Amino acid sequence: EVQLVESGGGLVQAGGSLRLSCAASGFAFDDYAIGWYRQAPGKEREAISCILSDGRTYYADFVKGRFTVSSDNAKNTVYLQMNSLKPEDTAVYYCTADGSVCPNPDGMDYWGKGTLVTVSS
């Protein structure tokens, strides 16, 4: 069974940092792109970052310079380092995977259950 398990969410004050982890299993990790999405209450899910198997990365403009995605292929784990957090970053953050592209405008293939990040002002 494909599993994507996020961890590392929590409550932080504006300007603080968190590192999210995504542990992947049940699929060929090296053949997939791993993406981070988030969804705030009442809003659409939005792609925030991706890392491809060749190391290329994608960042949404609103997190560029603040968030960094990295991977440890030996551990089948992807990380999202989140710095200079803002209240508008408050959302459920999802680890995702796709066998073709990331972000995938048609939707990612696999989703984790999410981890909540709350940023207070």
Side-chain angles (χ1 to χ4, degrees), residues 19-85:
R19 189 175 76 160
L20 306 183
S21 298
C22 171
S25 62
F27 64 97
F29 184 81
D30 291 346
D31 293 334
Y32 281 74
I34 305 297
W36 289 96
Y37 282 64
R38 70 185 187 188
Q39 186 169 29
K43 296 185 178 180
E44 298 287 332
R45 288 178 176 175
E46 56 185 356
I48 56 175
S49 185
C50 292
I51 186 164
L52 308 182
S53 59
D54 62 5
R56 288 180 292 163
T57 57
Y58 158 86
Y59 297 97
D61 287 343
F62 54 85
V63 303
K64 198 170 297 182
R66 299 190 296 124
F67 293 6
T68 303
V69 66
S70 61
S71 65
D72 185 339
N73 290 348
K75 296 181 178 180
N76 284 6
T77 300
V78 170
Y79 305 96
L80 184 68
Q81 179 67 45
M82 308 165 64
N83 298 327
S84 301
L85 284 162

